[in-house]
């Protein structure tokens, strides 16, 4: 847990002063960010597949 606290302090300067903060808040933020990146990748892949199907349809 000490490593988590030091990591949080490193990335969120002054976070140790806020005793009410959840110690894993930084990791929750990172998890949410990665979920948004993953969703963007899924959306891009779907769009590229749709365009590929549309281009094949126009050639036939």
């Amino acid at each position: 847990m000490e490593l988590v606290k030091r990591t949080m302090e490193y990335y969120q300067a002054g976070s140790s002063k806020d005793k009410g903060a959840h110690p894993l808040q930084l990791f929750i933020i990172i998890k949410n960010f990665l979920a948004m990146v993953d969703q963007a990748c899924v959306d891009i892949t779907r769009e590229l597949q749709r365009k590929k199907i549309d281009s094949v349809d126009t050639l036939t």
Side-chain angles (χ1 to χ4, degrees):
M1 197 58 161
E2 183 61 33
L3 183 58
V4 169
K5 288 178 184 177
R6 287 193 327 229
T7 303
M8 194 167 92
E9 178 64 29
Y10 179 81
Y11 287 103
Q12 293 179 323
S15 64
S16 63
K17 295 173 187 159
D18 185 11
K19 298 297 180 191
H22 192 278
L24 300 176
Q25 180 180 7
L26 173 65
F27 299 101
I28 294 168
I29 292 167
I30 292 170
K31 180 185 87 61
N32 291 340
F33 172 75
L34 292 175
M36 289 187 303
V37 169
D38 186 52
Q39 185 60 48
C41 291
V42 168
D43 293 343
I44 290 168
T45 301
R46 284 183 183 154
E47 184 66 22
L48 289 173
Q49 287 174 347
R50 187 184 65 76
K51 286 182 179 182
K52 185 177 179 181
I53 291 171
D54 289 346
S55 68
V56 170
D57 287 344
T58 58
L59 293 176
T60 57

